[in-house]
Amino acid sequence: MTATVAAMRREPPVMFGRTPPHDLDLEAVVLSAAMLSADAADEAMAIVLPCDFYSEPNRMIAAAIVELMAAGEPVDVAQVGARLRERGQIQRVDVAYLGRIVDMSPAVHHVGEHAVRLRELAHMRRIIDEGHRLVALGYGPITYAELMSEAHSFVDAVIAPRPADGGACMIRETVPEAMRHIIEPDTSRVTATGIIDLDDKLNDGMRPGQLIVVGARPSQGKTALLDHIEMAAAGHGHVLSCSVEMSRRERTARKLCATARVDLGRFISGRLGGAGERDGGPSEMDRINAATAALEALPIHIDDAGECSLLRVQTGARRAARAARAAGSRLALVTIDYLGLMSTRERRGGTRDAELGEVTRGLKVLAKQLECPIVLAQQLNRQVESRASKRPQLADLRETGCAEQDADVVVLLYRDEYYNPRSTDRKGIAELIIAKQRNGATGSVWARFEARWTRYDNLSAGESDRWESES
C-alpha cells in the first residue's frame, strides 16, 4: 500500500478511546480486485458485506459494487464512480481514491482469503462493540437475571456464525436447499420421542425450531410422557428439563421407576423388595440399581425452580446448549412442565392470557434460535369435565394464552381408563391425539401406559391397528 493511498483512505476515528482491529490496506486490496475481475467480485462479496468494511468510504464503495452486481451491470471504477454520484456520496469517497485503488493491481486469486480475514476483523469489532454495550447495561437500572440473560445472548451471538446473506434472500436461492432435503434428507438433527407411532406421525420425530404443546387434564400422563421423551431425546444430545410443578428429586424418582418398571408408590414409601422375583428375575432393588446406572449416563439437565419465568428458561437453555457444544454434542430438546405455572420477566398489568401468550411466543423464538425442539406441557381447561365425551379438543387450549396459535404441533392426551374404569376395554392404553401439525397430518396414535410405573411403551403393530380401526 502506497503512502498516497494510505492518506486518501480516510481512516475513521477510534472507538471507545482505542483503535479497534482493522486492516485498511486489505480492504483496499479486496475492493481493487472486485473492480478488476467479475469472478473476484463474486467471490469476495459472497463472503463480506459492505458493513464489514471499517472505513466509511470503503463501505460506500463496497455497497456500490454490490448494487451493480445485483443489477447485472459491469463492475469497474467508472461504474462505481457513477453509482456513488447517483447516491450523492462521491464527495465523501473522492474519485482520486477510486483510481488509486484500481492501480494497485492486487493478486486477484487471493481475494477469497483476504475477504475471510476482513470478515473476521469485522466480527472482532462487533464483539468489542457488544462487550461495551454489556458493560454499560451493567451500570444501569437492570436486574441480575436480566443482565445474565443479556450476557448469555452476547456469548451466543459471538459463538454463532453470522448468516452469509445478512437478511432476506430470493426464493431461487432456497429452492436447491429444499430439493437437497428431499433427495438426501438430513435426519441427524431430528429428535425421536421414543414412541414409534408418534414419531411416524411427526415425520420421523421432532424437528429443530418446533414448539410442541402436550395438553391434558390432570392425571392423564403429561409428566410421564415428558419423562419418556426426555430419556429418548438424551440419545440424540443434551436435554434441559424445566420442572416447575415437581422437584428434581420427584422427576428423577419417576424416571427411575419407569426405567426399572417399579411401582412409584412403593419406591416413595421405601417398601421395595430386596429378594428376587418369584420367576427368578431380578429384585426391585436390583432393577432400581440398574436403572440408576443407566440414568446417570444420560445428559439430562434438570431445573426445578419454584418460580419459572421465560427469562429463566432462555438463560438455562443457552447454558445447556453451550455445555452440549463443549461436550461435542448438541442441545436436542427442552421441556417445560408446565405453561400454567410460568411467568414473563415482569408483570405489566395485563391479563394472564396475554402474559402466557408472551411466554409461548418467546419459547417459539427460542426454539428457532437454538435450533432444537421445545416441548411444553399444559393443563387443559375444566370444560373438558363438563362434556359427555371427555376426549380433549384443540379448542380446550384456547383459554391458555396463545399456545394453540404459536405451537407447531399440539398433542392431546386421553386415557379412557381414567374416566370409565369399569366399562372401558382400553385399560393401560393412552391415546395421543395430534390435534395440530403445521407440516403433517393430524390424527391419533396409541401407546401403552402403566400408571403405577409412570411408564409409556410402544404397542405392537397389531394392537395399534386394532385401536385405529375401532376409533
Side-chain angles (χ1 to χ4, degrees):
M1 171 66 68
T2 65
T4 305
V5 172
M8 294 294 298
R9 63 195 175 188
R10 301 178 188 179
E11 184 169 340
V14 297
M15 298 168 56
F16 307 110
R18 297 183 181 181
T19 303
H22 66 283
D23 191 331
L24 297 183
D25 292 349
L26 205 59
E27 290 184 8
V29 167
V30 170
L31 293 174
S32 176
M35 288 187 285
L36 290 174
S37 165
D39 290 340
D42 288 337
E43 184 176 1
M45 296 308 164
I47 298 171
V48 290
L49 302 174
C51 62
D52 289 335
F53 289 81
Y54 180 62
S55 162
E56 183 183 30
N58 288 345
R59 287 197 296 272
M60 294 177 180
I61 294 171
I65 291 173
V66 170
E67 288 182 9
L68 290 169
M69 292 171 62
E73 299 178 16
V75 178
D76 55 38
V77 66
Q79 292 283 3
V80 170
R83 184 54 60 101
L84 290 171
R85 287 189 186 90
E86 292 174 8
R87 299 174 62 176
Q89 297 175 334
I90 192 64
Q91 296 301 322
R92 299 166 68 184
V93 174
D94 196 309
V95 175
Y97 179 45
L98 277 174
R100 287 182 173 85
I101 285 179
V102 174
D103 289 342
M104 293 175 61
S105 301
V108 172
H109 58 281
H110 290 310
V111 69
E113 299 171 22
H114 298 330
V116 168
R117 178 56 182 160
L118 288 185
R119 185 178 62 184
E120 292 172 347
L121 290 170
H123 193 190
M124 292 170 68
R125 293 195 296 273
R126 280 189 285 273
I127 293 172
I128 292 170
D129 187 54
E130 285 298 305
H132 280 278
R133 185 186 67 82
L134 190 62
V135 169
L137 283 174
Y139 285 103
I142 189 172
T143 67
Y144 170 77
E146 290 170 340
L147 185 60
M148 286 299 294
S149 179
E150 292 290 340
H152 285 301
S153 298
F154 165 71
V155 173
D156 288 338
V158 168
I159 295 174
R162 187 197 67 195
D165 57 10
C169 64
M170 296 296 289
I171 192 169
R172 63 173 176 268
E173 299 174 48
T174 65
V175 169
E177 181 181 353
M179 291 302 297
R180 280 197 300 273
H181 177 73
I182 295 172
I183 298 170
E184 299 178 358
D186 179 14
T187 59
S188 63
R189 297 188 65 82
V190 175
T191 301
T193 67
I195 298 177
I196 295 174
D197 290 341
L198 180 58
D199 287 332
D200 288 344
K201 202 78 170 180
L202 298 179
N203 303 314
D204 294 331
M206 303 174 291
R207 303 275 166 172
Q210 283 188 326
L211 176 62
I212 300 167
V213 172
V214 174
R217 289 296 294 155
S219 301
Q220 294 298 297
K222 292 189 303 296
T223 303
L225 181 60
L226 261 60
D227 285 333
H228 183 91
I229 293 174
E230 288 170 11
M231 289 189 288
H236 299 268
H238 285 229
V239 173
L240 172 64
S241 174
C242 300
S243 181
V244 192
E245 189 175 30
M246 298 183 187
S247 70
R248 64 185 69 183
R249 183 175 61 253
E250 290 175 297
R251 291 294 298 274
T252 302
R254 293 167 70 94
K255 287 181 172 68
L256 281 171
C257 290
T259 303
R261 290 183 168 85
V262 165
D263 187 291
L264 178 62
R266 288 171 57 81
F267 179 89
I268 293 173
S269 64
R271 293 186 289 109
L272 295 182
E277 300 292 340
R278 292 179 180 178
D279 61 1
S283 69
E284 289 178 324
M285 278 305 305
D286 288 338
R287 298 202 300 273
I288 286 292
N289 288 334
T292 298
L295 281 183
E296 287 178 345
L298 298 180
I300 299 177
H301 312 246
I302 304 178
D303 184 351
D304 63 349
E307 294 186 7
C308 184
S309 65
L310 174 61
L311 173 62
R312 187 177 182 92
V313 173
Q314 292 168 330
T315 302
R318 292 185 181 114
R319 185 182 296 118
R322 286 196 297 276
R325 288 195 295 267
S329 184
R330 67 180 178 95
L331 182 61
L333 178 69
V334 174
T335 69
I336 303 162
D337 187 17
Y338 61 94
L339 173 62
L341 298 179
M342 290 188 66
S343 64
T344 52
R345 180 178 302 183
E346 58 185 34
R347 296 184 182 274
R348 300 180 174 84
T351 65
R352 178 60 174 160
D353 188 70
E355 185 179 17
L356 293 179
E358 185 176 341
V359 170
T360 55
R361 284 189 294 273
L363 292 175
K364 174 58 182 173
V365 171
L366 181 66
K368 292 175 66 177
Q369 289 175 340
L370 297 182
E371 296 186 323
C372 83
I374 294 180
V375 176
L376 173 65
Q378 175 57 347
Q379 189 164 293
L380 301 181
N381 60 50
R382 292 186 178 88
Q383 292 180 359
V384 177
E385 308 296 336
S386 63
R387 295 198 301 259
S389 172
K390 310 301 183 187
R391 293 181 79 254
Q393 304 169 5
L394 192 59
D396 297 325
L397 273 177
R398 288 177 186 161
E399 293 182 7
T400 53
C402 298
E404 177 196 356
Q405 296 95 312
D406 295 328
D408 297 285
V409 177
V410 174
V411 179
L412 306 176
L413 300 183
Y414 175 69
R415 291 197 299 121
D416 193 62
E417 178 182 13
Y418 179 82
Y419 291 104
N420 305 293
R422 295 182 179 179
S423 61
T424 186
D425 62 346
R426 301 190 179 193
K427 291 185 180 294
I429 300 296
E431 182 179 1
L432 287 71
I433 306 163
I434 296 89
K436 175 185 177 182
Q437 184 172 193
R438 290 194 200 278
N439 299 313
T442 58
S444 292
V445 298
W446 290 263
R448 190 169 302 285
F449 179 67
E450 187 65 57
R452 59 178 178 150
W453 299 340
T454 65
R455 178 186 174 94
Y456 280 84
D457 276 304
N458 289 299
L459 296 176
S460 67
E463 289 176 304
S464 295
D465 293 342
R466 175 194 170 188
W467 300 127
E468 185 168 5
S469 65
E470 293 182 7
S471 64

